[in-house]
Amino acid sequence: MRSFSPLVLGLLGATAAVSAAEPADAADSNVIALTKDTFGDFVKEHDLVLAEFYAPWCGHCKALAPKYEEAATELKSKEIPLVKVDCTAEEDLCREYEVDGYPTLKVFRGPESHKPYGGARQADSIISYMTKQSMPAVSTVDEENLEEFKTLDKIVIIGYVGADDKAASESFTAFAESQRDNYLFASSSDAALAKAEGAKQPSIVLYKDFDEKKSVYDGKFDDEAISKFVKTASTPLVGELGPETYGKYMAAGIPLAYIFAETAEEREKFADEFRPIAEKHRGDVNIVTLDAKLFGAHAGNLNLEPEKFPAFAIQDTTKNAKYPYDQTKKITAKEVGKFIKDVIDGKVEPSIKSEPVPETQEGPVTVVVGRNYQELVIDNKKDVLLEFYAPWCGHCKALAPKYEELAALYADVAEFKEKVVVAKVDATANDVPDSITGFPTIKLYRADKKDEPVEYNGSRTVEDLVTFIKENGKYEVDGLAEGAKKAEESGDVTGSASSSQAAETPAASEDVHDEL
């Protein structure tokens, strides 16, 4: 199942939909087609190979083809071959390498040594990634080759460490080993060269082809500190958000500020105006421009009006808190700059998309909305079973009567009512802090471990849900046992839980989520 991220789905979809030129004829292609009979020998004969496992009918493969060809042509001069395998014709070979989707890209260092390709599916990204793979984790630079090394990629990182500084050298090398898929690294022990580059020993210089062109770090040489420096220094002051950059911004761990604009000229103008603000708040917030024509629908996810541009909003990516800027106001660097500072300083309340808070709770299932989520799910001392649903979801509709029956097992017993709550929230109409991968998603928030919810992955029967609550809740309440006891006392031989024991339809019992 795909993650619930409308923006990333939109970005990926837009990428796949790009109409690209047809790949070159096989005779003219620099991408080498291999079969089961030729693949093993080929990867044995070459130190480094990038292989694409594809299907001719695959739309994403067709979109990748011209980019893959362009990368193959560029990398040919570096003796890094790019190959392809048609999985509709070479099923055994693709099965051997556990190909379960198209296209699948893998980096080979011999038939037995391979790993997934970790870059983006763009020509320059493939070239950059494979160039890094072809080099040692840390190269050596001197006065003669320094300038050439700087041009090998958009970002290169050089450690200027004295020959006798073993601790700093080991720390830098360890970091380079862990990040070799992402950056090119080199080192120099020449103190004079470091001085000429505006650095001292030990220090790290990150060279880049954007913004101020280089950043210098001369702090403590430990992994966390170096990582923070590199993450901040390698991010453009005002970048462009798209398929190739989305993951990096989401993983940055700091708020992301979006500038939605419909034309390239507008986005460039905003980028220039906001660069000083981005410099001022560097490390506290990342600022990006976003093509509103392609990805304007994402504005709605940030609680903006999705067709009124230009627009601005900040998202705290770790808490999923949203701060939309008033769309009746003109977007100027000066005024939005004040808004950014106020958000960073905690002076702005996050916007919460929410249905109205119910005046009364009707029925056994507690209705949660954005504005009472904290109160009903997190702040109480009860075990809370929460269903995240969508009104259009067929599986949610099939679950509804059983979920009502489940809730009644606890709501109808005073003792249990104080220990267990069965609740639901429309995740399409209310902001929720949880990561949702499909509908319905059911999670149990244990009374004493609210920050560690347990997701339910069993069959959607009342019995199994009761067992889940009993085994994972703080109070270990057995709702079915109490239901049977009540039925016996009332003389009802079927009991309140008996309907749950009827045979499930296959569609209802499958562990399937509707995609978002």
Side-chain angles (χ1 to χ4, degrees):
M1 288 176 293
R2 293 165 293 187
S3 295
F4 180 24
S5 177
L7 174 60
V8 74
L9 292 177
L11 293 174
L12 293 175
T15 303
V18 172
S19 175
E22 290 295 317
D25 293 337
D28 301 325
S29 175
N30 286 308
V31 177
I32 302 165
L34 297 177
T35 66
K36 183 178 181 180
D37 295 332
T38 59
F39 189 87
D41 288 340
F42 188 90
V43 295
K44 280 181 184 177
E45 293 166 3
H46 296 82
D47 294 333
L48 181 65
V49 176
L50 178 62
E52 176 200 5
F53 298 89
Y54 75 100
W57 46 259
C58 163
H60 292 291
C61 303
K62 292 176 182 178
L64 173 62
K67 304 165 189 174
Y68 199 64
E69 181 67 41
E70 182 183 341
T73 302
E74 177 70 22
L75 290 170
K76 185 176 181 180
S77 63
K78 299 182 180 181
E79 299 184 353
I80 304 174
L82 269 59
V83 306
K84 62 182 181 180
V85 175
D86 180 352
C87 288
T88 64
E90 306 295 335
E91 293 182 10
D92 290 343
L93 181 60
C94 294
R95 191 177 300 112
E96 178 183 349
Y97 290 111
E98 300 178 338
V99 176
D100 56 9
Y102 306 123
T104 290
L105 300 175
K106 290 180 180 284
V107 178
F108 283 82
R109 298 179 187 274
E112 306 302 325
S113 177
H114 57 86
K115 68 176 183 178
Y117 166 76
R121 294 176 187 170
Q122 298 291 332
D124 58 350
S125 298
I126 295 170
I127 294 166
S128 173
Y129 187 90
M130 293 307 294
T131 299
K132 296 181 184 76
Q133 297 300 309
S134 70
M135 301 179 70
V138 181
S139 301
T140 301
V141 293
D142 54 29
E143 188 176 357
E144 292 185 2
N145 68 357
L146 174 62
E147 293 304 319
E148 179 185 359
F149 186 85
K150 290 180 186 178
T151 66
L152 292 180
D153 207 1
K154 293 181 178 180
I155 296 172
V156 300
I157 300 170
I158 300 178
Y160 293 96
V161 182
D164 58 347
D165 193 341
K166 184 178 179 181
S169 179
E170 289 179 350
S171 294
F172 180 73
T173 300
F175 179 77
E177 290 280 1
S178 70
Q179 294 292 318
R180 65 174 301 164
D181 288 354
N182 301 318
Y183 306 102
L184 279 180
F185 291 89
S187 66
S188 171
S189 60
D190 187 339
L193 186 61
K195 185 177 181 180
E197 291 298 307
K200 61 182 181 180
Q201 293 181 327
S203 64
I204 298 169
V205 180
L206 185 145
Y207 299 90
K208 48 194 171 182
D209 65 357
F210 53 88
D211 293 341
E212 71 274 37
K213 304 303 181 182
K214 73 176 182 180
S215 298
V216 180
Y217 174 77
D218 57 9
K220 187 177 180 181
F221 265 55
D222 64 50
D223 187 80
E224 184 178 354
I226 296 174
S227 179
K228 183 177 180 181
F229 159 72
V230 169
K231 188 179 289 187
T232 300
S234 64
T235 302
L237 287 172
V238 181
E240 177 84 9
L241 191 66
E244 313 313 320
T245 58
Y246 179 80
K248 180 179 179 180
Y249 281 114
M250 288 297 105
I254 60 175
L256 182 60
Y258 302 80
I259 304 171
F260 289 85
E262 295 180 300
T263 68
E265 291 76 18
E266 273 188 307
R267 293 192 294 277
E268 186 175 346
K269 173 177 172 288
F270 281 128
D272 289 340
E273 292 176 356
F274 277 78
R275 213 161 264 122
I277 296 170
E279 175 67 44
K280 181 179 180 180
H281 298 296
R282 193 169 206 164
D284 294 322
V285 63
N286 285 324
I287 301 178
V288 296
T289 60
L290 190 63
D291 187 336
K293 288 184 177 179
L294 285 177
F295 312 121
H298 184 56
N301 300 316
L302 300 169
N303 298 346
L304 288 166
E305 191 176 328
E307 294 184 358
K308 190 173 182 180
F309 303 115
F312 180 88
I314 298 175
Q315 179 186 15
D316 185 329
T317 57
T318 60
K319 300 177 182 177
N320 198 28
K322 304 162 187 178
Y323 305 87
Y325 185 71
D326 187 345
Q327 287 176 274
T328 65
K329 296 181 179 179
K330 184 178 180 181
I331 295 179
T332 65
K334 181 179 179 181
E335 293 304 316
V336 175
K338 294 177 182 176
F339 178 74
I340 292 173
K341 186 176 187 308
D342 286 344
V343 170
I344 292 173
D345 292 344
K347 296 179 180 179
V348 180
E349 288 294 320
S351 166
I352 300 176
K353 181 171 66 175
S354 177
E355 295 177 294
V357 176
E359 293 184 8
T360 59
Q361 292 287 350
E362 298 180 0
V365 179
T366 297
V367 176
V368 175
V369 298
R371 295 197 181 278
N372 67 9
Y373 182 96
Q374 184 73 24
E375 174 192 351
L376 296 183
V377 179
I378 305 301
D379 290 343
N380 65 45
K381 297 180 180 180
K382 304 175 185 179
D383 293 330
V384 179
L385 187 74
L386 181 62
E387 176 201 2
F388 300 86
Y389 74 95
W392 46 257
C393 163
H395 294 292
C396 303
K397 293 175 183 177
L399 174 63
K402 296 187 206 114
Y403 204 67
E404 290 275 338
E405 181 181 342
L406 172 73
L409 295 176
Y410 304 94
D412 292 347
V413 181
E415 178 187 356
F416 290 176
K417 192 173 183 179
E418 297 306 312
K419 295 179 180 178
V420 176
V421 174
V422 176
K424 65 180 181 180
V425 58
D426 180 351
T428 68
N430 298 279
D431 282 337
V432 294
D434 306 72
S435 175
I436 308 303
T437 59
F439 296 129
T441 289
I442 301 172
K443 296 185 180 185
L444 179 69
Y445 296 78
R446 182 180 162 113
D448 54 349
K449 294 182 179 179
K450 296 290 188 175
D451 58 342
E452 299 176 14
V454 181
E455 185 167 343
Y456 179 72
N457 292 307
S459 298
R460 296 183 192 134
T461 65
V462 175
E463 293 94 337
D464 286 345
L465 284 163
V466 167
T467 300
F468 177 71
I469 293 171
K470 178 183 176 182
E471 293 180 349
N472 294 279
K474 174 184 176 181
Y475 303 109
E476 301 179 350
V477 175
D478 188 341
L480 276 178
E482 181 62 27
K485 180 180 176 182
K486 284 177 61 183
E488 185 177 347
E489 292 173 349
S490 66
D492 181 359
V493 294
T494 59
S496 63
S498 64
S499 63
S500 68
Q501 296 168 359
E504 287 258 338
T505 63
S509 62
E510 290 174 355
D511 181 24
V512 178
H513 287 197
D514 282 357
E515 290 286 357
L516 296 166

